[in-house]
Amino acid sequence: MLVTCDLRDRAFTYYKCFPKLVVEVLSDRTEAFDRGDKFANYRELASLEEYLLVSQKRKLVECFRRNAEGLWVLHAYGAGEQVELTGVGWTGAIADLYEDVEVAS
């Protein structure tokens, strides 16, 4: 999933070029790729501010956020915490993200 706020993306029906946030739900099969080559490609997008990885194994959300210097900083959120997505102005309980999902805490 992704979020774009760029008006240029309205011209594209099937793909977006200027995401602000990209969210990946990790699986055993894709986790290494999502953390490695895929993230390396996403980091080249000037519009991308946050890359969110959501674990299926436990209540854990990892947000890689680009800081003012252009460096990617990890913000990890666990059970009982509030997830903050500054790029899109959203804050919410991690419990809400995992509502009706059975995983280890």
Side-chain angles (χ1 to χ4, degrees):
M1 180 187 86
L2 66 83
V3 175
T4 180
C5 300
D6 196 301
L7 296 177
R8 294 174 289 181
D9 275 328
R10 289 185 178 182
F12 307 108
T13 302
Y14 299 107
Y15 63 92
K16 304 298 177 198
C17 295
F18 306 99
K20 195 169 201 169
L21 165 70
V22 172
V23 178
E24 297 285 354
V25 177
L26 299 174
S27 71
D28 288 338
R29 189 175 60 81
T30 65
E31 183 170 359
F33 179 63
D34 291 342
R35 291 181 179 281
D37 289 343
K38 187 184 275 189
F39 186 33
N41 290 334
Y42 283 148
R43 287 193 307 260
E44 295 179 17
L45 300 171
S47 64
L48 189 64
E49 296 178 15
E50 293 171 311
Y51 183 55
L52 197 71
L53 300 175
V54 181
S55 176
Q56 290 188 54
K57 295 178 182 178
R58 60 186 174 274
K59 292 182 181 178
L60 175 66
V61 173
E62 296 169 287
C63 180
F64 291 90
R65 185 174 299 129
R66 191 188 318 248
N67 68 15
E69 292 80 33
L71 302 174
W72 289 92
V73 178
L74 170 62
H75 302 269
Y77 303 96
E81 294 187 287
Q82 294 282 323
V83 177
E84 183 179 9
L85 302 177
T86 59
V88 294
W90 182 85
T91 301
I94 197 167
D96 293 337
L97 296 178
Y98 284 91
E99 184 177 359
D100 298 326
V101 176
E102 291 186 32
V103 295
S105 295

